[in-house]
Amino acid sequence: MLDTINPVLKLEGRQLGNDWTVIQRLPIRGEVGAEGKTGGNFSVGYIVERTGKQAFMKVFDIANAFASPPERIALELHRISSAYLHEKELLELCRSAKLDRIVQVLDSGTIADGPHPPLFYLIFEQADRDIRAALGALGTIHDAWKFKHLHQVAVGLSQLHRHKVAHQDLKPSNVLLFEQANEGAKIADLGRASRVGKEAEHDSFMIAGDPSYAPPEQMYGFRAPDWVDRREACDLYHLGALICFLFSGMSPTVRVLSIMGQGMWPLPFGRWQGGYQDAVPFLTAAFTKFMAELKPLLPEWCRQELFELIQNACHPDLSNRGDPAARKMVGRPVGIDRYISRLQLLAKKGEIQARLANTGNAKGNAV
């Protein structure tokens, strides 16, 4: 993307519809301030303001279209407009259904002037930061804090699933915190979400989201025929990966592949040419080693329960993924509601552990 030819990068100071003013462009990949950030390959972020209240604006980047061969530019522009309309429709569904654990869209529209095609934008409520940034900024964090936000994320996934929507790209940077408003964690970015009966282009992709967090069946090119296994089991895997991240900083996908070695990585990442079912025994063995490494890193007071939650959520064998009791029910649900209740209980127990620790420290200081 070149600033001289890309209008998406030159919107500061613009007046938009409904009295929004574009205040500041956020750093893009390769610029100072964007270090360590993921995403942003197909959009540019801005801070906008209306009546003194700031919000986040996502502008779809048409430079990706103009970087294509001339004969494909029109097709790529159509793809961008389709992606915008897909996400806009999902966000309007979430708003109308009052899904309070999904980041809400405030406005949307186009900027149509000059020689360039219309620029599509979405405006969202402004978060304080994402959960990854919070971990780096807060220092020591109580387990109760982690479980509270994990519970809220699980609620968000359940809200989407009840409306036949799967997120497909849940990762730390897509969990936003609204601390000042005391609203906790919300799930952001439905750009790769899937919806029953509403096919999007990325639904044909083997890996719709970030490969670093992709479940093994997607890495190895397996497309489960059933929606629950194909989509909801992917979201559950991502929830388990988020638990791993909060308590260990590790991604199960990255670590399991590392244990297996590049010779067992699927094409095009490695040299393995077999199918997913052929790889399952090797994936399961590597996952067992990963879980053995992870277990000592989990809090002692809830180690076994947390171990089981992660193991069931992230198991590389789809037939073993999900809450065991739920998977025996009609329709074989993954059991996200059971994760909600267990994470909520762990959050309450974590608060007790924190109070006990503070009491012990107070007594120690008194002595």
Side-chain angles (χ1 to χ4, degrees):
M1 293 185 300
L2 298 177
D3 185 60
T4 55
I5 64 173
N6 189 356
V8 178
L9 299 178
K10 304 170 98 40
L11 297 177
E12 288 177 336
R14 290 291 301 264
Q15 296 295 316
L16 307 177
N18 295 332
D19 297 324
W20 291 103
T21 301
V22 182
I23 303 298
Q24 177 187 2
R25 178 169 68 80
L26 301 176
I28 60 173
R29 186 167 296 180
E31 293 183 340
V32 175
E35 298 86 359
K37 294 186 177 180
T38 60
N41 290 325
F42 309 106
S43 63
V44 176
Y46 283 88
I47 300 298
V48 296
E49 187 176 86
R50 181 173 67 181
T51 61
K53 183 177 180 179
Q54 291 192 342
F56 170 76
M57 179 172 72
K58 173 181 179 179
V59 186
F60 289 72
D61 191 356
I62 63 173
N64 288 286
F66 288 105
S68 306
E71 66 275 12
R72 289 190 56 85
I73 289 178
L75 175 62
E76 294 303 316
L77 287 172
H78 174 72
R79 291 176 62 186
I80 291 172
S81 65
S82 297
Y84 161 75
L85 291 172
H86 171 76
E87 187 170 356
K88 179 173 178 280
E89 184 177 339
L90 285 174
L91 289 164
E92 289 173 348
L93 166 68
C94 294
R95 180 167 59 183
S96 63
K98 295 181 172 56
L99 306 190
D100 62 348
R101 287 296 150 204
I102 309 300
V103 174
Q104 295 297 297
V105 65
L106 303 177
D107 211 339
S108 60
T110 60
I111 303 171
D113 57 13
H116 57 77
L119 306 179
F120 302 100
Y121 66 83
L122 297 164
I123 297 177
F124 300 88
E125 55 182 335
Q126 174 75 347
D128 300 310
R129 50 190 165 185
D130 64 47
I131 201 165
R132 176 195 51 193
L135 287 181
L138 295 178
T140 301
I141 298 176
H142 288 301
D143 298 333
W145 185 94
K146 298 177 183 179
F147 283 124
K148 179 183 75 173
H149 292 99
L150 285 167
H151 167 256
Q152 292 168 342
V153 170
V155 170
L157 290 178
S158 178
Q159 290 177 344
L160 290 173
H161 292 178
R162 284 202 300 272
H163 288 83
K164 301 301 180 183
V165 175
H167 188 278
Q168 297 294 286
D169 195 23
L170 181 69
K171 54 187 177 182
S173 60
N174 284 339
V175 176
L176 303 188
L177 304 183
F178 293 78
E179 297 159 312
Q180 293 186 22
N182 198 30
E183 294 178 350
K186 299 184 183 183
I187 299 174
D189 196 350
L190 298 183
R192 295 293 183 171
S194 293
R195 184 181 179 188
V196 172
K198 295 282 186 178
E199 193 79 9
E201 183 194 30
H202 56 261
D203 286 330
S204 65
F205 298 172
M206 198 53 65
I207 302 174
D210 189 331
S212 298
Y213 295 93
E217 66 274 10
Q218 292 185 358
M219 296 290 293
Y220 283 81
F222 176 71
R223 182 181 174 87
D226 178 73
W227 166 268
V228 171
D229 283 346
R230 186 168 71 254
R231 301 303 185 198
E232 295 185 13
C234 171
D235 279 357
L236 183 65
Y237 182 94
H238 287 157
L239 177 62
L242 183 63
I243 298 173
C244 286
F245 176 81
L246 290 185
F247 285 96
S248 72
M250 292 193 290
S251 158
T253 300
V254 172
R255 185 60 189 133
V256 165
L257 289 177
S258 175
I259 292 171
M260 292 175 68
Q262 192 168 4
M264 291 294 299
W265 295 1
L267 296 171
F269 308 101
R271 300 186 295 274
W272 174 261
Q273 298 186 42
Y276 166 65
Q277 296 298 342
D278 299 322
V280 163
F282 303 99
L283 286 163
T284 301
F287 181 68
T288 300
K289 291 183 180 180
F290 163 71
M291 291 301 295
E293 293 176 353
L294 178 67
K295 192 169 187 177
L297 303 178
L298 304 178
E300 185 176 358
W301 68 269
C302 61
R303 181 170 295 157
Q304 187 57 37
E305 183 170 6
L306 196 53
F307 179 89
E308 292 173 1
L309 285 175
I310 297 170
Q311 186 174 52
N312 292 334
C314 294
H315 203 288
D317 187 344
L318 264 176
S319 64
N320 290 321
R321 188 180 308 157
D323 180 86
R327 288 299 242 171
K328 295 177 182 178
M329 298 169 63
V330 175
R332 300 190 69 248
V334 296
I336 191 70
D337 290 340
R338 294 168 186 258
Y339 272 75
I340 290 172
S341 59
R342 293 177 73 176
L343 289 169
Q344 184 177 38
L345 181 59
L346 284 168
K348 292 179 179 178
K349 290 181 177 179
E351 292 174 358
I352 295 172
Q353 291 293 322
R355 288 198 295 268
L356 291 174
N358 290 335
T359 301
N361 291 335
K363 289 182 178 179
N365 292 334
V367 173

